[in-house]
Amino acid sequence: MISKIKNIANTEDKKRLLSNFFSLSVLQAFTYILPLLTLPYLVRVLGVDKFGLVMFAQAFIVFFNILVDYGFNLSATREIAINRENKDKITEIFSSVMTIKTILIVISFVILSIVIFSFEKFTSDWELYYLSFLVVIGNAMFPIWYFQGMEKMKYITIVDITSKLIFTILIFIVIQEQSDYIYVPLLSGLGFIVGGIISLWIVYRNFNQSFIFQDFKILKTHFLDSSQFFLSRVSVSIYTSANAFVLGLFTNTTMVGYYSIAEKLYMALQSLYRPIVQTIYPYIAKERNIKLFKKLFIFIFISNILGIILLYLVGQNIFDLLFTQTIGNESLEVFNIFLIAMFIVVPSILLGYPFLGALGFSKYANMSVIYGSIFHLVGLGILISIDKITIYNVAVMVITTELLVLSTRIYWIRRNSLWKK
């Protein structure tokens, strides 16, 4: 009888995991494929220089996005997954997170305004930065952490895809000449906001989720609990989004454009693995099924290697197809460097929160990226001081940083004998 119950439970677990994986895969695919569809069009219409300016603004706004998220996409997902059957606790978590995010939006907007009107580099394009900030508001409204924790991703997949699809189509309709670059962040931001509004309505209607103002002590508890995750996300941004920002400060927007083209493709490759990570993270946190994780890790590791080799062989053809004669070889050369980074970053991601974090060792996962960010900042500082801050050197810095992060995670896993459990 007990064996039969376990089999039923395992079957239900598999169905739930497959359902969430499918929903997240479709969602992630559209999240990155739709921008990739517009990428060659925007580069051609706006030119590499204006495209680089838009990417520089996005890289700058990412810091505010991380501040407003404050690591809740990890901490709140974990807490909701653990307390899924406790309605009062779920309401406390939901209300606290939304309240804290609202406060952080206001703080972020004030900081943004101070920066814009304090430095000429930002003042000259102030409209671009304010419109780019719409994405921060939209992301804050979109409670993906709630649906992940509940393991009910199917509810928001269609909504998010539809909103992004509509505003992606508008890119091709509205952006017709170089001066239309200002509308790129506007359309992108509106897509996020519309998706966020509808997703909150789903939370209210389908989950009967209410919002209740929480005491300051409760807000403080959730805020402090997520601090380690916030530090982790800030650290990751230093050797991801910060690169385009630093290039914009010390080179020019054309170089940012070349680098961002390759980086967009690199991030799209990473996004292929995020549905797996987002699906198994709450499951491993709740069920501690290490045996399943090991099987997935080996399969993904081998698939990643084969995929990288294939992309290297056909990379030139892909760039010729996407960009024709719009850009030179600079972006392709940077992309090839990023392909090397993919050998390292995929196992590193898998050993992070789906493994260390889910098993209660999030401190080690967080510390690995904090060490990596410090190393990366020092490396960028050296490149700046010796006047060697180029798109190629920055890309190589990404490889060395990711290698350090992976090595640190492997060290902590071996030290705690987690792989043998």
Side-chain angles (χ1 to χ4, degrees):
M1 184 67 178
I2 294 175
S3 177
K4 187 175 181 180
I5 292 173
K6 284 184 177 180
N7 288 334
I8 293 173
N10 288 335
T11 301
E12 290 177 351
D13 285 344
K14 289 177 181 178
K15 287 182 178 179
R16 187 173 71 250
L17 284 171
L18 288 174
S19 175
N20 288 323
F21 173 69
F22 177 76
S23 298
L24 281 165
S25 295
V26 174
L27 181 61
Q28 201 71 45
F30 274 82
T31 298
Y32 280 88
I33 287 176
L34 291 180
L36 286 181
L37 290 176
T38 60
L39 178 62
Y41 178 78
L42 289 175
V43 172
R44 184 172 68 254
V45 175
L46 302 181
V48 177
D49 183 54
K50 285 298 183 185
F51 175 76
L53 176 61
V54 173
M55 292 301 102
F56 175 74
Q58 285 187 10
F60 176 49
I61 293 300
V62 161
F63 296 112
F64 297 106
N65 219 4
I66 294 170
L67 173 60
V68 173
D69 172 64
Y70 205 76
F72 287 119
N73 276 356
L74 293 171
S75 64
T77 297
R78 180 199 63 192
E79 290 304 307
I80 288 179
I82 294 173
N83 299 283
R84 196 180 301 154
E85 287 77 24
N86 188 336
K87 182 64 177 178
D88 292 337
K89 187 65 176 179
I90 293 297
T91 298
E92 175 195 309
I93 297 169
F94 175 77
S95 302
S96 298
V97 172
M98 295 306 295
T99 300
I100 294 171
K101 280 178 174 282
T102 302
I103 296 172
L104 291 175
I105 285 177
V106 175
I107 294 174
S108 296
F109 186 80
V110 172
I111 296 174
L112 173 66
S113 299
I114 293 174
V115 172
I116 287 177
F117 294 108
S118 298
F119 300 95
E120 185 179 350
K121 185 177 184 66
F122 296 94
T123 306
S124 57
D125 294 290
W126 63 270
E127 303 101 324
L128 179 66
Y129 299 106
Y130 275 129
L131 290 175
S132 298
F133 190 76
L134 292 175
V135 171
V136 178
I137 299 174
N139 269 327
M141 297 171 64
F142 193 81
I144 189 171
W145 43 271
Y146 184 92
F147 295 99
Q148 281 181 243
M150 290 291 192
E151 295 191 72
K152 297 291 184 181
M153 290 304 299
K154 64 181 181 180
Y155 284 100
I156 59 169
T157 300
I158 296 176
V159 173
D160 194 57
I161 289 173
T162 302
S163 62
K164 285 184 171 63
L165 183 60
I166 291 173
F167 287 96
T168 297
I169 294 173
L170 288 175
I171 288 286
F172 293 99
I173 297 174
V174 176
I175 312 300
Q176 296 293 325
E177 55 187 33
Q178 192 177 68
S179 60
D180 293 331
Y181 74 94
I182 196 71
Y183 299 119
V184 176
L186 173 63
L187 294 174
S188 178
L190 289 176
F192 277 93
I193 289 175
V194 170
I197 292 173
I198 298 175
S199 66
L200 287 175
W201 178 74
I202 292 175
V203 169
Y204 170 75
R205 183 185 178 189
N206 291 44
F207 292 86
N208 194 29
Q209 180 63 62
S210 58
F211 175 91
I212 300 176
F213 285 103
Q214 303 294 309
D215 292 337
F216 176 76
K217 288 184 178 180
I218 295 177
L219 294 177
K220 182 180 178 181
T221 298
H222 286 285
F223 182 79
L224 294 177
D225 180 60
S226 196
S227 295
Q228 59 175 319
F229 297 96
F230 167 66
L231 291 174
S232 172
R233 302 321 297 163
V234 170
S235 300
V236 171
S237 72
I238 289 176
Y239 57 88
T240 54
S241 302
N243 293 323
F245 183 68
V246 169
L247 284 169
L249 291 177
F250 294 97
T251 59
N252 54 65
T253 53
T254 300
M255 290 297 104
V256 175
Y258 287 136
Y259 182 87
S260 296
I261 290 170
E263 187 182 51
K264 286 283 185 183
L265 296 173
Y266 169 58
M267 297 305 293
L269 289 178
Q270 286 191 39
S271 74
L272 296 176
Y273 301 94
R274 286 202 180 97
I276 301 173
V277 171
Q278 292 172 327
T279 300
I280 64 176
Y281 174 52
Y283 174 77
I284 299 296
K286 190 174 180 63
E287 306 296 338
R288 304 299 178 99
N289 192 338
I290 298 178
K291 185 177 180 180
L292 173 63
F293 176 83
K294 288 181 179 180
K295 292 180 179 178
L296 287 172
F297 181 88
I298 294 172
F299 174 77
I300 295 169
F301 182 77
I302 296 173
S303 300
N304 179 55
I305 293 175
L306 296 176
I308 292 170
I309 294 173
L310 177 62
L311 281 173
Y312 179 78
L313 296 175
V314 300
Q316 183 68 61
N317 296 328
I318 293 175
F319 271 73
D320 290 341
L321 177 65
L322 291 178
F323 304 105
T324 60
Q325 302 301 316
T326 308
I327 61 174
N329 290 324
E330 291 89 345
S331 293
L332 176 59
E333 292 170 358
V334 174
F335 179 69
N336 285 335
I337 296 175
F338 281 142
L339 283 180
I340 299 174
M342 284 296 294
F343 281 110
I344 305 166
V345 72
V346 170
S348 180
I349 290 173
L350 291 171
L351 294 177
Y353 287 99
F355 191 68
L356 281 169
L359 295 179
F361 294 88
S362 56
K363 177 180 71 173
Y364 299 136
N366 292 333
M367 289 305 297
S368 65
V369 293
I370 292 174
Y371 294 152
S373 67
I374 294 172
F375 173 81
H376 197 77
L377 279 178
V378 172
L380 289 178
I382 293 173
L383 291 176
I384 293 170
S385 64
I386 62 177
D387 197 25
K388 295 292 184 180
I389 192 80
T390 68
I391 56 177
Y392 309 111
N393 289 338
V394 170
V396 171
M397 274 299 306
V398 172
I399 294 178
T400 54
T401 301
E402 292 289 4
L403 184 59
L404 174 62
V405 173
L406 175 61
S407 301
T408 305
R409 290 179 174 179
I410 291 175
Y411 168 77
W412 286 115
I413 289 172
R414 288 174 61 88
R415 181 171 178 177
N416 291 277
S417 302
L418 297 178
W419 200 255
K420 297 178 182 179
K421 291 183 178 181

